[in-house]
Amino acid sequence: MKKRIIISITLIIAVIFFLIFNNKEVEEKDNISIFFELIEHEKNISFSDSQNSIIDWKVVDEDNNVVVIKKEGKSVQINKVEETDSQKIDDFFEENGFELDIYNLADGPEGSIKGYRKDKMYCVITRDCELGSDTIFKKINVNIACAI
């Protein structure tokens, strides 16, 4: 009888812990979707539907080596936009207290990567530029991936 009670209590505790941690993960990912909607609303731009994604976030370890940490989150895209609309995204991050992370930056002639961080939110903005015949950017494809 005692054994049955102990097993029942253990199972109840396990179910409660599972529900608490499972709901936290869903809540965090929903917060990312809400964050993307906020960018859309404030900057009057439209993204694709959000998708689950993994971002590679670079950090420096205790030996001063740059290492990559994988973080689960969500991403959205906006394709073939003008440079002014692309800049609105950076403006949003900067206006809302996000800081550029020097280990998560890259720039080249046909694209760039910018990593922004605020508190426990990490976002990586990837841009692929389509060059025109006169080597001026015609359109930019933007991907934003965020994780908490």
Side-chain angles (χ1 to χ4, degrees), residues 36-37 39-51 74-90 92-93 112 124-130 138-145:
F36 291 146
E37 290 171 6
I39 298 171
E40 286 181 310
H41 178 71
E42 273 195 32
K43 296 302 178 179
N44 196 28
I45 52 179
S46 296
F47 297 129
S48 64
D49 290 338
S50 64
Q51 305 287 325
K74 288 194 171 194
S75 65
V76 291
Q77 289 185 323
I78 182 169
N79 293 320
K80 299 185 186 284
V81 296
E82 299 290 332
E83 190 172 349
T84 53
D85 284 335
S86 175
Q87 183 59 44
K88 288 180 184 179
I89 296 167
D90 287 323
F92 176 87
F93 281 90
S112 67
V124 175
I125 301 170
T126 306
R127 289 180 173 82
D128 295 314
C129 304
E130 296 178 9
K138 272 189 148 178
K139 298 291 181 179
I140 303 170
N141 299 320
V142 182
N143 180 285
I144 305 171

